[in-house]
């Protein structure tokens, strides 16, 4: 098949493509406004039980509004290990999580991208800012980098020279 594509002078170039298992790109945006600084990047461990950072930490301010990164349904709004957490299910089996967030939404509520889901609380361990939002993403049991949800890039056909 590649020989056929090369013979016709076309190859498919995916600009900014994601590796297999990465989150699809599209209708998602930052959960804090204005665009926050990423203070701790995603660091997926090789094995589930090894240390790592299964999300990103975004610099913010206590009391700042936290918004849904994409359209979805609130599936959790409560505390986990003493931390306030909001989780939203999205199309394609994706789930985003936000902590520490004092929820202003309830379980079962359908929300749109950019809808306020709560306010950011101070106290995230290791945060170099006044407050940090830990933003996570999963598909089933696989943790993904939530930054992969942002900045959709088009697929382009380019000629072979």
């Amino acid at each position: 098949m590649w020989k056929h594509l090369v013979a016709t002078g076309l190859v498919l170039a995916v600009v900014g493509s994601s590796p297999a298992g990465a989150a699809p790109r599209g209708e998602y945006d930052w959960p804090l406004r204005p665009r926050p600084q990423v203070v701790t990047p995603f660091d997926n461990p090789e094995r589930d039980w090894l240390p790592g950072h299964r999300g990103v930490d975004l610099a913010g301010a206590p009391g700042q509004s936290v918004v849904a990164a994409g359209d979805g349904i609130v599936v959790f709004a409560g505390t986990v290990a003493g931390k306030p957490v909001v989780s939203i299910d999205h199309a394609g089996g994706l789930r985003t999580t936000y902590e520490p967030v004092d929820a202003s939404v309830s379980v079962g509520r359908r929300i749109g991208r950019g809808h306020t889901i709560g306010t950011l609380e101070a106290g995230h361990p290791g945060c170099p800012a006044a407050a940090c939002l830990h933003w996570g993403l999963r598909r089933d049991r696989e943790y993904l980098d939530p930054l992969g949800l942002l900045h959709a890039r088009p697929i382009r056909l380019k000629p072979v020279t």
Side-chain angles (χ1 to χ4, degrees), residues 42-125:
F42 180 75
D43 180 21
N44 199 22
E46 285 186 34
R47 303 277 188 246
D48 290 342
W49 62 87
L50 294 174
H53 193 244
R54 294 161 178 85
V56 296
D57 291 342
L58 306 174
Q64 182 175 359
S65 290
V66 178
V67 299
D71 298 347
I73 297 174
V74 177
V75 293
F76 184 83
T79 53
V80 175
K83 297 177 194 170
V85 177
V86 176
S87 296
I88 301 170
D89 277 358
H90 307 277
L94 297 175
R95 175 174 290 178
T96 53
T97 58
Y98 311 79
E99 70 171 79
V101 175
D102 182 22
S104 62
V105 291
S106 56
V107 172
R109 182 165 182 191
R110 183 173 297 278
I111 55 171
R113 180 179 78 181
H115 181 94
T116 299
I117 60 172
T119 55
L120 182 59
E121 292 189 354
H124 186 67

